[in-house]
Amino acid sequence: SLGALGSELLITGSVTGNIFDRELMVWDSADPSTPASLGANINTYSGSGDGSSFPIGYVTRCGESYFTASAGFDFILENRELWKWDGFEASLVKDFYTGGTNAGRPQSITVIGDEIYMFANDGVTGQELWRTKGSETVRLTDLRSGVDGSVSGSPGIMSWNNQIFTAMWGPTGIELYAY
């Protein structure tokens, strides 16, 4: 997975060369002769198995790059939540589904204006539409009550005529929604 922030290219790569050891790597195009270096070691899990954070889905908003990554567990899908990179350090933006190895698994991360929209699972309402401005993250919908959520697959999110559009499960099946 690739992303960009200013002159930095963000890469999901490995310092060790181990295919199972994927972390946030940074390459600065201002000095192309310097190889990519470890930007952040998000997953600090030290048990047996996969200790990779495997950051993916980079998008840029207001001088910061947002992505999903796994932290603290031995499998790349466990505890996958929303993170950001400000050019110096990575920090957790939102732990949607707290506790143990549960994961909010944000997907379809889309920047519209100065906001980021995505689908994520909080463990109570299932996969629903969320919005963040970096410091505050809120759920926008709960169309299908219960843990099943309103999202099936990875629907897109887009902006058109000053509205946000997506397709989600509604009362009569998959429907188009505008916000």
Side-chain angles (χ1 to χ4, degrees), residues 55-147:
I56 58 172
Y58 299 102
V59 297
T60 301
R61 175 204 161 267
C62 299
E64 297 174 319
S65 183
Y66 291 74
F67 55 93
T68 68
S70 177
F73 295 97
D74 69 344
F75 186 68
I76 62 174
L77 293 178
E78 292 177 341
N79 204 30
R80 183 162 289 282
E81 301 293 353
L82 185 65
W83 290 77
K84 69 179 175 182
W85 170 257
D86 64 6
F88 301 99
E89 66 180 353
S91 58
L92 182 65
V93 175
K94 177 70 176 170
D95 184 356
F96 293 96
Y97 196 145
T98 59
T101 60
N102 296 319
R105 296 190 182 143
Q107 63 181 353
S108 302
I109 301 171
T110 306
V111 176
I112 300 174
D114 67 344
E115 299 173 324
I116 296 176
Y117 294 83
M118 76 214 82
F119 297 104
N121 184 349
D122 63 6
V124 177
T125 60
Q127 202 82 355
E128 297 290 350
L129 182 62
W130 291 73
R131 176 185 65 213
T132 189
K133 290 186 176 186
S135 59
E136 178 187 11
T137 304
V138 295
R139 187 183 70 233
L140 297 179
T141 61
D142 185 11
L143 296 174
R144 190 176 187 194
S145 57
V147 295

